[in-house]
Amino acid sequence: MTYENIKVEQRGSVCIIELHRPKALNALSQGLMNDLTAALDVAEADLATRAIIVTGSEKAFAAGADIIEFQGKSFSEAFRQGLITANWERIDRCRKPVIAAVAGFALGGGCEVAMMCDFIIAADNAVFGQPEIKLGIVPGAGGTQRLTRAVGKAKAMELVLTGRNMKAEEAERSGLVARVVPLESLMEEALKSAEAIASYAQPAVMMAKDLVKTAQQVGLDEGVKIERRVFHSCFGTQHQVEGMAAFAEKRKPEFDD
């Protein structure tokens, strides 16, 4: 499939989706989000793809939403047309693991898209923030909600209300970023993580992803009950048989999905 605003590369069982609007610092136009949605649909349907990486350029993961598309809209137009439509949430709905490999600016919508991924590996030049307040608006693609869950109320409130940017090291300390790596090794490290995930039994990976997301939606007691039932269900799969047999026999498991 041909895309105008992204590049897609298959590396074995890993699909790499690169946001590609270099002249606009990968600003998230509706066209780009349509392309990203289509690419995720293809990757999700492809049985050979077991993990996905979303990335941008060294200068910008995505510097924000495309403000030119927003300018001049009335409330009625914004509401009726859906300036941020349902396909902005496609990453969050993806059942396969999605890693954000972030270098440079991840601001506004760019930060929101990164947070929709399952975890973020950041280059040491990465910068995160929700600067919408400077434009007289608020985040509209989950920024206030996901950021608060990731870094806590105090940090999220400060960033959202002041529009201050946060560098990679602070983002890691705050819990937004899984880890920070040198810029030159960003894709290498993201690929290592994706390939490790891809080597495991895919049903178990998808179950584990669902359970971690469930932890943000239910209380502890209910979450542990759900986790235990899913754990029990693993014993109805051939993957559990192979995984435990391989452990006992001191060999690498061969998961066949």
Side-chain angles (χ1 to χ4, degrees):
M1 184 177 291
T2 302
Y3 304 101
E4 292 184 10
N5 303 286
I6 64 173
K7 294 181 178 180
V8 179
E9 179 185 358
Q10 194 73 28
R11 296 264 194 103
S13 54
V14 179
C15 175
I16 302 172
I17 302 174
E18 176 189 338
L19 310 182
H20 189 68
R21 293 186 71 208
K23 293 182 179 179
L25 294 179
N26 294 335
L28 303 174
S29 64
Q30 190 58 56
L32 187 151
M33 297 309 294
N34 290 343
D35 283 352
L36 179 57
T37 295
L40 289 168
D41 287 343
V42 171
E44 191 104 88
D46 181 9
L47 296 179
T49 296
R50 301 165 67 94
I52 301 165
I53 296 173
V54 178
T55 192
S57 68
E58 291 188 357
K59 184 180 290 187
F61 176 77
D66 192 333
I67 302 304
I68 301 303
E69 290 188 347
F70 290 4
Q71 191 175 12
K73 300 288 186 183
S74 67
F75 164 75
S76 178
E77 290 170 325
F79 184 78
R80 285 187 292 105
Q81 296 172 11
L83 289 187
I84 294 179
T85 60
N87 70 352
W88 278 67
E89 301 291 325
R90 181 62 181 88
I91 293 177
D92 188 57
R93 297 195 306 272
C94 191
R95 299 187 68 202
K96 294 181 179 179
V98 183
I99 300 170
V102 176
F105 296 112
L107 305 177
C111 186
E112 289 168 316
V113 166
M115 289 191 291
M116 290 178 203
C117 298
D118 295 311
F119 61 91
I120 301 169
I121 298 177
D124 51 16
N125 75 331
V127 178
F128 300 87
Q130 298 292 159
E132 289 88 348
I133 200 74
K134 297 178 180 180
L135 300 177
I137 58 174
V138 299
T144 61
Q145 305 304 301
R146 291 189 177 90
L147 188 62
T148 303
R149 285 166 171 78
V151 305
K153 178 212 168 189
K155 179 74 73 174
M157 191 72 81
E158 183 215 1
L159 293 171
V160 170
L161 292 184
T162 68
R164 179 177 73 83
N165 292 340
M166 179 168 58
K167 293 183 178 180
E169 293 79 6
E170 183 184 356
E172 183 182 28
R173 290 197 308 270
S174 302
L176 178 63
V177 167
R179 56 195 173 97
V180 177
V181 301
L183 173 60
E184 58 269 21
S185 60
L186 174 62
M187 286 309 299
E188 177 186 355
E189 293 299 322
L191 274 166
K192 283 182 183 177
S193 292
E195 288 167 351
I197 293 168
S199 72
Y200 304 136
Q202 192 170 29
V205 167
M206 295 168 76
M207 290 176 187
K209 170 174 172 166
D210 283 348
L211 287 170
V212 174
K213 293 181 72 173
T214 296
Q216 295 184 305
Q217 300 164 355
V218 303
L220 178 60
D221 287 347
E222 182 66 18
V224 171
K225 288 178 184 177
I226 294 170
E227 178 190 79
R228 193 154 297 141
R229 291 298 174 260
V230 176
F231 168 73
H232 292 157
S233 75
C234 291
F235 287 79
T237 69
Q238 188 60 34
H239 304 99
Q240 172 268 331
V241 175
E242 167 60 14
M244 293 189 176
F247 177 83
E249 296 165 13
K250 298 181 179 178
R251 61 175 174 82
K252 185 176 180 179
E254 297 180 5
F255 294 121
D256 182 10
D257 293 329

mmCIF file with all atom_site columns, all heavy atoms in Angstrom, residues 13-35:
data_model
loop_
_atom_site.group_PDB
_atom_site.id
_atom_site.type_symbol
_atom_site.label_atom_id
_atom_site.label_alt_id
_atom_site.label_comp_id
_atom_site.label_asym_id
_atom_site.label_entity_id
_atom_site.label_seq_id
_atom_site.pdbx_PDB_ins_code
_atom_site.Cartn_x
_atom_site.Cartn_y
_atom_site.Cartn_z
_atom_site.occupancy
_atom_site.B_iso_or_equiv
_atom_site.pdbx_formal_charge
_atom_site.auth_seq_id
_atom_site.auth_comp_id
_atom_site.auth_asym_id
_atom_site.auth_atom_id
_atom_site.pdbx_PDB_model_num
ATOM 1   N N   . SER A 1 13 ? 9.415  -9.856  11.835 1.00 0.00 ? 13 SER A N   1
ATOM 2   C CA  . SER A 1 13 ? 8.075  -9.850  12.432 1.00 0.00 ? 13 SER A CA  1
ATOM 3   C C   . SER A 1 13 ? 7.710  -8.491  13.026 1.00 0.00 ? 13 SER A C   1
ATOM 4   O O   . SER A 1 13 ? 6.697  -8.369  13.706 1.00 0.00 ? 13 SER A O   1
ATOM 5   C CB  . SER A 1 13 ? 7.990  -10.929 13.518 1.00 0.00 ? 13 SER A CB  1
ATOM 6   O OG  . SER A 1 13 ? 9.030  -10.762 14.454 1.00 0.00 ? 13 SER A OG  1
ATOM 7   N N   . VAL A 1 14 ? 8.540  -7.474  12.768 1.00 0.00 ? 14 VAL A N   1
ATOM 8   C CA  . VAL A 1 14 ? 8.297  -6.127  13.305 1.00 0.00 ? 14 VAL A CA  1
ATOM 9   C C   . VAL A 1 14 ? 7.943  -5.173  12.175 1.00 0.00 ? 14 VAL A C   1
ATOM 10  O O   . VAL A 1 14 ? 8.658  -5.078  11.177 1.00 0.00 ? 14 VAL A O   1
ATOM 11  C CB  . VAL A 1 14 ? 9.535  -5.601  14.060 1.00 0.00 ? 14 VAL A CB  1
ATOM 12  C CG1 . VAL A 1 14 ? 9.275  -4.193  14.578 1.00 0.00 ? 14 VAL A CG1 1
ATOM 13  C CG2 . VAL A 1 14 ? 9.913  -6.541  15.200 1.00 0.00 ? 14 VAL A CG2 1
ATOM 14  N N   . CYS A 1 15 ? 6.848  -4.450  12.337 1.00 0.00 ? 15 CYS A N   1
ATOM 15  C CA  . CYS A 1 15 ? 6.438  -3.417  11.377 1.00 0.00 ? 15 CYS A CA  1
ATOM 16  C C   . CYS A 1 15 ? 6.855  -2.058  11.926 1.00 0.00 ? 15 CYS A C   1
ATOM 17  O O   . CYS A 1 15 ? 6.492  -1.690  13.054 1.00 0.00 ? 15 CYS A O   1
ATOM 18  C CB  . CYS A 1 15 ? 4.923  -3.456  11.173 1.00 0.00 ? 15 CYS A CB  1
ATOM 19  S SG  . CYS A 1 15 ? 4.285  -2.134  10.105 1.00 0.00 ? 15 CYS A SG  1
ATOM 20  N N   . ILE A 1 16 ? 7.627  -1.310  11.154 1.00 0.00 ? 16 ILE A N   1
ATOM 21  C CA  . ILE A 1 16 ? 8.075  0.026   11.543 1.00 0.00 ? 16 ILE A CA  1
ATOM 22  C C   . ILE A 1 16 ? 7.290  1.059   10.745 1.00 0.00 ? 16 ILE A C   1
ATOM 23  O O   . ILE A 1 16 ? 7.321  1.052   9.520  1.00 0.00 ? 16 ILE A O   1
ATOM 24  C CB  . ILE A 1 16 ? 9.579  0.215   11.298 1.00 0.00 ? 16 ILE A CB  1
ATOM 25  C CG1 . ILE A 1 16 ? 10.389 -0.835  12.062 1.00 0.00 ? 16 ILE A CG1 1
ATOM 26  C CG2 . ILE A 1 16 ? 10.014 1.624   11.699 1.00 0.00 ? 16 ILE A CG2 1
ATOM 27  C CD1 . ILE A 1 16 ? 11.860 -0.832  11.707 1.00 0.00 ? 16 ILE A CD1 1
ATOM 28  N N   . ILE A 1 17 ? 6.582  1.922   11.454 1.00 0.00 ? 17 ILE A N   1
ATOM 29  C CA  . ILE A 1 17 ? 5.808  2.990   10.826 1.00 0.00 ? 17 ILE A CA  1
ATOM 30  C C   . ILE A 1 17 ? 6.471  4.319   11.174 1.00 0.00 ? 17 ILE A C   1
ATOM 31  O O   . ILE A 1 17 ? 6.562  4.683   12.349 1.00 0.00 ? 17 ILE A O   1
ATOM 32  C CB  . ILE A 1 17 ? 4.346  2.986   11.311 1.00 0.00 ? 17 ILE A CB  1
ATOM 33  C CG1 . ILE A 1 17 ? 3.689  1.636   11.016 1.00 0.00 ? 17 ILE A CG1 1
ATOM 34  C CG2 . ILE A 1 17 ? 3.566  4.124   10.649 1.00 0.00 ? 17 ILE A CG2 1
ATOM 35  C CD1 . ILE A 1 17 ? 2.290  1.492   11.597 1.00 0.00 ? 17 ILE A CD1 1
ATOM 36  N N   . GLU A 1 18 ? 6.940  5.017   10.157 1.00 0.00 ? 18 GLU A N   1
ATOM 37  C CA  . GLU A 1 18 ? 7.626  6.300   10.368 1.00 0.00 ? 18 GLU A CA  1
ATOM 38  C C   . GLU A 1 18 ? 6.716  7.440   9.925  1.00 0.00 ? 18 GLU A C   1
ATOM 39  O O   . GLU A 1 18 ? 6.293  7.500   8.761  1.00 0.00 ? 18 GLU A O   1
ATOM 40  C CB  . GLU A 1 18 ? 8.926  6.349   9.572  1.00 0.00 ? 18 GLU A CB  1
ATOM 41  C CG  . GLU A 1 18 ? 9.654  7.691   9.671  1.00 0.00 ? 18 GLU A CG  1
ATOM 42  C CD  . GLU A 1 18 ? 10.821 7.792   8.711  1.00 0.00 ? 18 GLU A CD  1
ATOM 43  O OE1 . GLU A 1 18 ? 11.340 6.749   8.262  1.00 0.00 ? 18 GLU A OE1 1
ATOM 44  O OE2 . GLU A 1 18 ? 11.214 8.941   8.396  1.00 0.00 ? 18 GLU A OE2 1
ATOM 45  N N   . LEU A 1 19 ? 6.395  8.336   10.833 1.00 0.00 ? 19 LEU A N   1
ATOM 46  C CA  . LEU A 1 19 ? 5.650  9.543   10.478 1.00 0.00 ? 19 LEU A CA  1
ATOM 47  C C   . LEU A 1 19 ? 6.546  10.386  9.583  1.00 0.00 ? 19 LEU A C   1
ATOM 48  O O   . LEU A 1 19 ? 7.709  10.619  9.905  1.00 0.00 ? 19 LEU A O   1
ATOM 49  C CB  . LEU A 1 19 ? 5.267  10.316  11.736 1.00 0.00 ? 19 LEU A CB  1
ATOM 50  C CG  . LEU A 1 19 ? 4.578  9.506   12.859 1.00 0.00 ? 19 LEU A CG  1
ATOM 51  C CD1 . LEU A 1 19 ? 4.216  10.417  14.020 1.00 0.00 ? 19 LEU A CD1 1
ATOM 52  C CD2 . LEU A 1 19 ? 3.362  8.764   12.339 1.00 0.00 ? 19 LEU A CD2 1
ATOM 53  N N   . HIS A 1 20 ? 5.999  10.855  8.446  1.00 0.00 ? 20 HIS A N   1
ATOM 54  C CA  . HIS A 1 20 ? 6.892  11.483  7.457  1.00 0.00 ? 20 HIS A CA  1
ATOM 55  C C   . HIS A 1 20 ? 6.236  12.696  6.803  1.00 0.00 ? 20 HIS A C   1
ATOM 56  O O   . HIS A 1 20 ? 5.701  12.629  5.700  1.00 0.00 ? 20 HIS A O   1
ATOM 57  C CB  . HIS A 1 20 ? 7.296  10.457  6.395  1.00 0.00 ? 20 HIS A CB  1
ATOM 58  C CG  . HIS A 1 20 ? 8.371  10.950  5.475  1.00 0.00 ? 20 HIS A CG  1
ATOM 59  N ND1 . HIS A 1 20 ? 9.652  11.188  5.888  1.00 0.00 ? 20 HIS A ND1 1
ATOM 60  C CD2 . HIS A 1 20 ? 8.332  11.265  4.154  1.00 0.00 ? 20 HIS A CD2 1
ATOM 61  C CE1 . HIS A 1 20 ? 10.374 11.625  4.863  1.00 0.00 ? 20 HIS A CE1 1
ATOM 62  N NE2 . HIS A 1 20 ? 9.595  11.686  3.806  1.00 0.00 ? 20 HIS A NE2 1
ATOM 63  N N   . ARG A 1 21 ? 6.276  13.810  7.539  1.00 0.00 ? 21 ARG A N   1
ATOM 64  C CA  . ARG A 1 21 ? 5.950  15.121  6.974  1.00 0.00 ? 21 ARG A CA  1
ATOM 65  C C   . ARG A 1 21 ? 7.095  16.054  7.374  1.00 0.00 ? 21 ARG A C   1
ATOM 66  O O   . ARG A 1 21 ? 6.927  16.939  8.227  1.00 0.00 ? 21 ARG A O   1
ATOM 67  C CB  . ARG A 1 21 ? 4.614  15.661  7.498  1.00 0.00 ? 21 ARG A CB  1
ATOM 68  C CG  . ARG A 1 21 ? 3.381  14.891  7.068  1.00 0.00 ? 21 ARG A CG  1
ATOM 69  C CD  . ARG A 1 21 ? 2.128  15.624  7.527  1.00 0.00 ? 21 ARG A CD  1
ATOM 70  N NE  . ARG A 1 21 ? 1.917  16.857  6.773  1.00 0.00 ? 21 ARG A NE  1
ATOM 71  C CZ  . ARG A 1 21 ? 1.288  17.930  7.248  1.00 0.00 ? 21 ARG A CZ  1
ATOM 72  N NH1 . ARG A 1 21 ? 0.808  17.945  8.486  1.00 0.00 ? 21 ARG A NH1 1
ATOM 73  N NH2 . ARG A 1 21 ? 1.132  19.012  6.508  1.00 0.00 ? 21 ARG A NH2 1
ATOM 74  N N   . PRO A 1 22 ? 8.269  15.865  6.798  1.00 0.00 ? 22 PRO A N   1
ATOM 75  C CA  . PRO A 1 22 ? 9.473  16.551  7.292  1.00 0.00 ? 22 PRO A CA  1
ATOM 76  C C   . PRO A 1 22 ? 9.383  18.068  7.280  1.00 0.00 ? 22 PRO A C   1
ATOM 77  O O   . PRO A 1 22 ? 9.920  18.731  8.173  1.00 0.00 ? 22 PRO A O   1
ATOM 78  C CB  . PRO A 1 22 ? 10.576 16.043  6.358  1.00 0.00 ? 22 PRO A CB  1
ATOM 79  C CG  . PRO A 1 22 ? 9.878  15.515  5.145  1.00 0.00 ? 22 PRO A CG  1
ATOM 80  C CD  . PRO A 1 22 ? 8.574  14.981  5.648  1.00 0.00 ? 22 PRO A CD  1
ATOM 81  N N   . LYS A 1 23 ? 8.725  18.646  6.294  1.00 0.00 ? 23 LYS A N   1
ATOM 82  C CA  . LYS A 1 23 ? 8.641  20.104  6.216  1.00 0.00 ? 23 LYS A CA  1
ATOM 83  C C   . LYS A 1 23 ? 7.761  20.688  7.321  1.00 0.00 ? 23 LYS A C   1
ATOM 84  O O   . LYS A 1 23 ? 7.851  21.876  7.632  1.00 0.00 ? 23 LYS A O   1
ATOM 85  C CB  . LYS A 1 23 ? 8.115  20.532  4.851  1.00 0.00 ? 23 LYS A CB  1
ATOM 86  C CG  . LYS A 1 23 ? 9.073  20.227  3.706  1.00 0.00 ? 23 LYS A CG  1
ATOM 87  C CD  . LYS A 1 23 ? 8.523  20.713  2.386  1.00 0.00 ? 23 LYS A CD  1
ATOM 88  C CE  . LYS A 1 23 ? 9.485  20.423  1.235  1.00 0.00 ? 23 LYS A CE  1
ATOM 89  N NZ  . LYS A 1 23 ? 8.952  20.879  -0.071 1.00 0.00 ? 23 LYS A NZ  1
ATOM 90  N N   . ALA A 1 24 ? 6.908  19.857  7.907  1.00 0.00 ? 24 ALA A N   1
ATOM 91  C CA  . ALA A 1 24 ? 5.994  20.315  8.964  1.00 0.00 ? 24 ALA A CA  1
ATOM 92  C C   . ALA A 1 24 ? 6.333  19.694  10.310 1.00 0.00 ? 24 ALA A C   1
ATOM 93  O O   . ALA A 1 24 ? 5.498  19.691  11.221 1.00 0.00 ? 24 ALA A O   1
ATOM 94  C CB  . ALA A 1 24 ? 4.549  19.979  8.582  1.00 0.00 ? 24 ALA A CB  1
ATOM 95  N N   . LEU A 1 25 ? 7.576  19.167  10.446 1.00 0.00 ? 25 LEU A N   1
ATOM 96  C CA  . LEU A 1 25 ? 7.994  18.492  11.684 1.00 0.00 ? 25 LEU A CA  1
ATOM 97  C C   . LEU A 1 25 ? 6.999  17.410  12.092 1.00 0.00 ? 25 LEU A C   1
ATOM 98  O O   . LEU A 1 25 ? 6.685  17.221  13.261 1.00 0.00 ? 25 LEU A O   1
ATOM 99  C CB  . LEU A 1 25 ? 8.174  19.513  12.823 1.00 0.00 ? 25 LEU A CB  1
ATOM 100 C CG  . LEU A 1 25 ? 9.315  20.523  12.662 1.00 0.00 ? 25 LEU A CG  1
ATOM 101 C CD1 . LEU A 1 25 ? 9.351  21.481  13.845 1.00 0.00 ? 25 LEU A CD1 1
ATOM 102 C CD2 . LEU A 1 25 ? 10.652 19.812  12.528 1.00 0.00 ? 25 LEU A CD2 1
ATOM 103 N N   . ASN A 1 26 ? 6.492  16.713  11.062 1.00 0.00 ? 26 ASN A N   1
ATOM 104 C CA  . ASN A 1 26 ? 5.546  15.608  11.269 1.00 0.00 ? 26 ASN A CA  1
ATOM 105 C C   . ASN A 1 26 ? 4.265  16.039  11.972 1.00 0.00 ? 26 ASN A C   1
ATOM 106 O O   . ASN A 1 26 ? 3.663  15.245  12.724 1.00 0.00 ? 26 ASN A O   1
ATOM 107 C CB  . ASN A 1 26 ? 6.208  14.460  12.037 1.00 0.00 ? 26 ASN A CB  1
ATOM 108 C CG  . ASN A 1 26 ? 7.316  13.802  11.245 1.00 0.00 ? 26 ASN A CG  1
ATOM 109 O OD1 . ASN A 1 26 ? 7.327  13.853  10.018 1.00 0.00 ? 26 ASN A OD1 1
ATOM 110 N ND2 . ASN A 1 26 ? 8.264  13.196  11.938 1.00 0.00 ? 26 ASN A ND2 1
ATOM 111 N N   . ALA A 1 27 ? 3.830  17.270  11.747 1.00 0.00 ? 27 ALA A N   1
ATOM 112 C CA  . ALA A 1 27 ? 2.561  17.726  12.313 1.00 0.00 ? 27 ALA A CA  1
ATOM 113 C C   . ALA A 1 27 ? 1.453  16.767  11.899 1.00 0.00 ? 27 ALA A C   1
ATOM 114 O O   . ALA A 1 27 ? 1.382  16.302  10.754 1.00 0.00 ? 27 ALA A O   1
ATOM 115 C CB  . ALA A 1 27 ? 2.246  19.143  11.832 1.00 0.00 ? 27 ALA A CB  1
ATOM 116 N N   . LEU A 1 28 ? 0.574  16.478  12.850 1.00 0.00 ? 28 LEU A N   1
ATOM 117 C CA  . LEU A 1 28 ? -0.425 15.429  12.663 1.00 0.00 ? 28 LEU A CA  1
ATOM 118 C C   . LEU A 1 28 ? -1.657 15.962  11.941 1.00 0.00 ? 28 LEU A C   1
ATOM 119 O O   . LEU A 1 28 ? -2.652 16.342  12.561 1.00 0.00 ? 28 LEU A O   1
ATOM 120 C CB  . LEU A 1 28 ? -0.804 14.839  14.025 1.00 0.00 ? 28 LEU A CB  1
ATOM 121 C CG  . LEU A 1 28 ? 0.375  14.270  14.820 1.00 0.00 ? 28 LEU A CG  1
ATOM 122 C CD1 . LEU A 1 28 ? -0.079 13.846  16.219 1.00 0.00 ? 28 LEU A CD1 1
ATOM 123 C CD2 . LEU A 1 28 ? 1.015  13.091  14.086 1.00 0.00 ? 28 LEU A CD2 1
ATOM 124 N N   . SER A 1 29 ? -1.585 15.967  10.640 1.00 0.00 ? 29 SER A N   1
ATOM 125 C CA  . SER A 1 29 ? -2.743 16.330  9.822  1.00 0.00 ? 29 SER A CA  1
ATOM 126 C C   . SER A 1 29 ? -3.725 15.163  9.803  1.00 0.00 ? 29 SER A C   1
ATOM 127 O O   . SER A 1 29 ? -3.385 14.032  10.161 1.00 0.00 ? 29 SER A O   1
ATOM 128 C CB  . SER A 1 29 ? -2.294 16.635  8.392  1.00 0.00 ? 29 SER A CB  1
ATOM 129 O OG  . SER A 1 29 ? -1.754 15.468  7.785  1.00 0.00 ? 29 SER A OG  1
ATOM 130 N N   . GLN A 1 30 ? -4.954 15.437  9.356  1.00 0.00 ? 30 GLN A N   1
ATOM 131 C CA  . GLN A 1 30 ? -5.923 14.350  9.247  1.00 0.00 ? 30 GLN A CA  1
ATOM 132 C C   . GLN A 1 30 ? -5.451 13.318  8.231  1.00 0.00 ? 30 GLN A C   1
ATOM 133 O O   . GLN A 1 30 ? -5.656 12.115  8.399  1.00 0.00 ? 30 GLN A O   1
ATOM 134 C CB  . GLN A 1 30 ? -7.298 14.883  8.852  1.00 0.00 ? 30 GLN A CB  1
ATOM 135 C CG  . GLN A 1 30 ? -8.412 13.837  8.948  1.00 0.00 ? 30 GLN A CG  1
ATOM 136 C CD  . GLN A 1 30 ? -8.546 13.252  10.336 1.00 0.00 ? 30 GLN A CD  1
ATOM 137 O OE1 . GLN A 1 30 ? -8.722 13.973  11.304 1.00 0.00 ? 30 GLN A OE1 1
ATOM 138 N NE2 . GLN A 1 30 ? -8.437 11.936  10.447 1.00 0.00 ? 30 GLN A NE2 1
ATOM 139 N N   . GLY A 1 31 ? -4.764 13.796  7.174  1.00 0.00 ? 31 GLY A N   1
ATOM 140 C CA  . GLY A 1 31 ? -4.232 12.866  6.185  1.00 0.00 ? 31 GLY A CA  1
ATOM 141 C C   . GLY A 1 31 ? -3.209 11.927  6.781  1.00 0.00 ? 31 GLY A C   1
ATOM 142 O O   . GLY A 1 31 ? -3.199 10.726  6.485  1.00 0.00 ? 31 GLY A O   1
ATOM 143 N N   . LEU A 1 32 ? -2.329 12.456  7.625  1.00 0.00 ? 32 LEU A N   1
ATOM 144 C CA  . LEU A 1 32 ? -1.344 11.596  8.277  1.00 0.00 ? 32 LEU A CA  1
ATOM 145 C C   . LEU A 1 32 ? -2.027 10.590  9.187  1.00 0.00 ? 32 LEU A C   1
ATOM 146 O O   . LEU A 1 32 ? -1.674 9.403   9.202  1.00 0.00 ? 32 LEU A O   1
ATOM 147 C CB  . LEU A 1 32 ? -0.343 12.441  9.078  1.00 0.00 ? 32 LEU A CB  1
ATOM 148 C CG  . LEU A 1 32 ? 0.844  11.687  9.691  1.00 0.00 ? 32 LEU A CG  1
ATOM 149 C CD1 . LEU A 1 32 ? 2.060  12.585  9.819  1.00 0.00 ? 32 LEU A CD1 1
ATOM 150 C CD2 . LEU A 1 32 ? 0.510  11.095  11.055 1.00 0.00 ? 32 LEU A CD2 1
ATOM 151 N N   . MET A 1 33 ? -2.997 11.037  9.948  1.00 0.00 ? 33 MET A N   1
ATOM 152 C CA  . MET A 1 33 ? -3.688 10.117  10.865 1.00 0.00 ? 33 MET A CA  1
ATOM 153 C C   . MET A 1 33 ? -4.470 9.061   10.097 1.00 0.00 ? 33 MET A C   1
ATOM 154 O O   . MET A 1 33 ? -4.576 7.915   10.537 1.00 0.00 ? 33 MET A O   1
ATOM 155 C CB  . MET A 1 33 ? -4.612 10.897  11.806 1.00 0.00 ? 33 MET A CB  1
ATOM 156 C CG  . MET A 1 33 ? -3.873 11.866  12.732 1.00 0.00 ? 33 MET A CG  1
ATOM 157 S SD  . MET A 1 33 ? -2.495 11.102  13.649 1.00 0.00 ? 33 MET A SD  1
ATOM 158 C CE  . MET A 1 33 ? -3.375 9.938   14.700 1.00 0.00 ? 33 MET A CE  1
ATOM 159 N N   . ASN A 1 34 ? -5.008 9.423   8.924  1.00 0.00 ? 34 ASN A N   1
ATOM 160 C CA  . ASN A 1 34 ? -5.685 8.424   8.085  1.00 0.00 ? 34 ASN A CA  1
ATOM 161 C C   . ASN A 1 34 ? -4.687 7.371   7.600  1.00 0.00 ? 34 ASN A C   1
ATOM 162 O O   . ASN A 1 34 ? -4.979 6.177   7.583  1.00 0.00 ? 34 ASN A O   1
ATOM 163 C CB  . ASN A 1 34 ? -6.346 9.101   6.885  1.00 0.00 ? 34 ASN A CB  1
ATOM 164 C CG  . ASN A 1 34 ? -7.549 9.940   7.278  1.00 0.00 ? 34 ASN A CG  1
ATOM 165 O OD1 . ASN A 1 34 ? -8.092 9.801   8.369  1.00 0.00 ? 34 ASN A OD1 1
ATOM 166 N ND2 . ASN A 1 34 ? -7.965 10.829  6.396  1.00 0.00 ? 34 ASN A ND2 1
ATOM 167 N N   . ASP A 1 35 ? -3.497 7.840   7.194  1.00 0.00 ? 35 ASP A N   1
ATOM 168 C CA  . ASP A 1 35 ? -2.462 6.905   6.750  1.00 0.00 ? 35 ASP A CA  1
ATOM 169 C C   . ASP A 1 35 ? -2.016 6.002   7.898  1.00 0.00 ? 35 ASP A C   1
ATOM 170 O O   . ASP A 1 35 ? -1.828 4.792   7.714  1.00 0.00 ? 35 ASP A O   1
ATOM 171 C CB  . ASP A 1 35 ? -1.245 7.671   6.221  1.00 0.00 ? 35 ASP A CB  1
ATOM 172 C CG  . ASP A 1 35 ? -1.459 8.237   4.825  1.00 0.00 ? 35 ASP A CG  1
ATOM 173 O OD1 . ASP A 1 35 ? -2.485 7.917   4.191  1.00 0.00 ? 35 ASP A OD1 1
ATOM 174 O OD2 . ASP A 1 35 ? -0.584 9.003   4.361  1.00 0.00 ? 35 ASP A OD2 1
#
